[in-house]
Amino acid sequence: MEWFEIVAVAVAGVVGAGGLGFLTLRGRSSQAPEPESGRSSGSVDVLDRVDGDVDEGLDGSGSVIVVDREGVDQEGVDLEPELEIPAEPEPEPERVPLGRPSFFERFSKARSAFTGYLGDLVGIGKVDEETWEELEEALIRADVGVSTSLALISDVRNEAKEAGVDDGAAILELLKKRMRAELADKQRDLTIDDGETNVWLFVGVNGVGKTTTIGKLGRRLSDAGYKPLMAAGDTFRAAAAEQLTMWAERANAEIVRGNEGGDPSSVIFDGVQAAAARNCDVVLADTAGRLQNKSNLMDELSKVRRVADREPGHVSEVLLVIDATTGQNGMSQAKVFTEAVEVTGVVLTKLDGSAKGGIVFAIETELGIPVKLVGLGEGVADLIDFDPDEFINALFE
């Protein structure tokens, strides 16, 4: 052997002994042993495979394979692999019933804003004209609405006069009683008609939480034994369908989606047809919240409403989703949407983060629409049925 051949062999041995942490091979050498499956962490590990314009290896495959060098001895021969016992598959975790949050715990912002003045009212011996005006102002600041606040104070003053009471504590009890009566006797149940392919349409501007509300309701329906199907009808918002698909997986619900920018009515129609074929109880239909202008949006929603009600579809709920933190802006939205579709109820989201909980009264008295659901947090269990008594108690205590 010539001297330069000896040097070449020595250099190759040094490189092979550990000079490289990872080795990139193109193709697979005909002399190298083929890696076995089921090896331990010291075995040859294929990390990536990229097809494309790369230099072909000896087998001409054109693939790039990254191989882990750890666990290969200096001669290039794999060390003895350890036997690996396959682990038994873990059972699916059992679903735990969702705990219901309380208004009192989650309603602190609205309560502190509203009761800051009311707490002082309790200690007043005799309510005068200035006190009535301050009480009226407190209601308006809580977003009860100007007209609703004026009506409430007027009714309470009349009742106080008839009852012959004028101290602060008694006036506060009359106000509480009057506000409770304002929210009483409303139909707040969500409707699922037997033998029908029920459709619940969710409408509202972008950012109020329509898609999240659908996801949480889907989980709730699944846990209650219903079979929901979600229809990704908001085809104009980027990633809306992906977001709803994620919620469908969490809720173990079916989903129908279309192409981004496609016709929302077609997606809803396909969803209804799929629900009927798969014996689903209710279609939870997402809708667009923003188009080129208000007129286009309202026209699109009216069309969606008509299409969803075609056989075998049966629209049993049209739920308007409003962000409680927007206050009176939410009222303006509600008025516009009720002109386009027959809203059957309101979902008031982010109520736990709002100091303007009085919007509940404005919605129900000025629009005559019941608040059916409220969001009191980010968790799945934090979307709950609206309970007027619990709401009033949390507001005043």
Side-chain angles (χ1 to χ4, degrees):
M1 179 181 294
E2 299 294 338
W3 65 270
F4 56 86
E5 293 177 326
I6 296 174
V7 172
V9 171
V11 171
V14 171
V15 173
L20 296 176
F22 288 90
L23 179 66
T24 302
L25 303 177
R26 286 168 173 34
R28 182 164 53 225
S29 171
S30 59
Q31 297 178 354
E34 187 168 339
E36 299 175 4
S37 61
R39 294 209 178 248
S40 65
S41 61
S43 64
V44 179
D45 182 22
V46 179
L47 300 181
D48 197 9
R49 186 182 295 269
V50 181
D51 294 328
D53 297 331
V54 296
D55 295 333
E56 294 185 354
L58 295 178
D59 63 353
S61 65
S63 298
V64 177
I65 306 173
V66 180
V67 180
D68 188 354
R69 288 283 302 174
E70 185 180 355
V72 180
D73 68 3
Q74 295 182 4
E75 300 297 328
V77 179
D78 288 350
L79 299 175
E80 185 68 19
E82 298 179 2
L83 291 177
E84 188 173 291
I85 302 174
E88 294 184 3
E90 296 184 3
E92 292 187 5
E94 185 176 343
R95 283 196 172 182
V96 179
L98 302 176
R100 185 183 187 277
S102 72
F103 270 98
F104 187 82
E105 293 173 353
R106 304 292 179 86
F107 208 41
S108 58
K109 285 189 177 182
R111 185 170 62 252
S112 61
F114 186 63
T115 59
Y117 170 73
L118 298 183
D120 297 333
L121 183 63
V122 176
I124 296 178
K126 184 176 182 179
V127 175
D128 55 16
E129 188 64 31
E130 183 180 354
T131 306
W132 284 114
E133 291 178 0
E134 290 176 351
L135 182 55
E136 186 179 284
E137 185 180 343
L139 293 175
I140 294 173
R141 283 201 306 265
D143 258 331
V144 172
V146 175
S147 60
T148 304
S149 297
L150 293 176
L152 282 172
I153 295 301
S154 177
D155 290 343
V156 172
R157 292 188 73 163
N158 290 333
E159 290 179 22
K161 186 177 180 179
E162 292 177 4
V165 297
D166 57 3
D167 63 286
I171 296 298
L172 193 60
E173 283 301 314
L174 288 176
L175 176 61
K176 185 177 179 180
K177 179 182 177 182
R178 184 68 191 85
M179 294 178 76
R180 194 188 304 275
E182 200 70 42
L183 301 179
D185 302 325
K186 301 287 177 64
Q187 170 56 37
R188 303 185 189 277
D189 294 334
L190 295 170
T191 304
I192 297 181
D193 293 324
D194 294 336
E196 301 280 0
T197 303
N198 293 270
V199 181
W200 293 357
L201 291 177
F202 293 80
V203 300
V205 299
N206 282 353
V208 295
K210 292 195 303 294
T211 306
T212 302
T213 297
I214 291 172
K216 292 178 179 180
L217 266 180
R219 165 68 188 274
R220 175 172 160 179
L221 288 167
S222 294
D223 288 347
Y226 292 100
K227 186 178 180 183
L229 180 143
M230 301 181 186
D234 187 359
T235 60
F236 299 103
R237 182 169 66 88
E242 286 75 11
Q243 183 185 1
L244 195 63
T245 299
M246 177 190 70
W247 275 110
E249 292 173 353
R250 291 180 181 178
N252 194 28
E254 307 273 355
I255 185 167
V256 171
R257 50 185 290 185
N259 296 323
E260 189 171 321
D263 181 18
S265 298
S266 298
V267 177
I268 304 302
F269 178 81
D270 291 342
V272 171
Q273 298 297 321
R278 301 172 190 176
N279 295 319
C280 295
D281 300 294
V282 58
V283 177
L284 306 177
D286 199 2
T287 63
R290 178 172 61 85
L291 290 179
Q292 290 82 350
N293 55 56
K294 184 179 74 174
S295 177
N296 284 351
L297 175 58
M298 295 305 114
D299 289 345
E300 183 62 46
L301 289 177
S302 297
K303 178 183 175 183
V304 167
R305 174 71 168 76
R306 293 193 303 270
V307 170
D309 222 7
R310 292 178 185 169
E311 285 289 339
H314 169 67
V315 177
S316 53
E317 291 285 357
V318 179
L319 298 172
L320 173 62
V321 184
I322 298 177
D323 181 345
T325 62
T326 61
Q328 287 299 307
N329 286 335
M331 277 295 298
S332 301
Q333 297 167 17
K335 291 175 182 177
V336 172
F337 279 95
T338 51
E339 294 174 1
V341 290
E342 298 175 16
V343 176
T344 60
V346 168
V347 180
L348 203 55
T349 63
K350 308 175 189 177
L351 191 59
D352 60 311
S354 173
K356 302 179 180 295
I359 191 177
V360 170
F361 296 94
I363 290 171
E364 298 215 354
T365 57
E366 296 182 26
L367 300 180
I369 305 172
V371 175
K372 295 195 171 187
L373 298 166
V374 291
L376 297 178
E378 298 293 330
V380 174
D382 295 333
L383 181 69
I384 65 173
D385 296 333
F386 178 67
D387 186 325
D389 289 333
E390 192 176 356
F391 171 74
I392 294 294
N393 290 335
L395 195 61
F396 278 83
E397 294 177 3

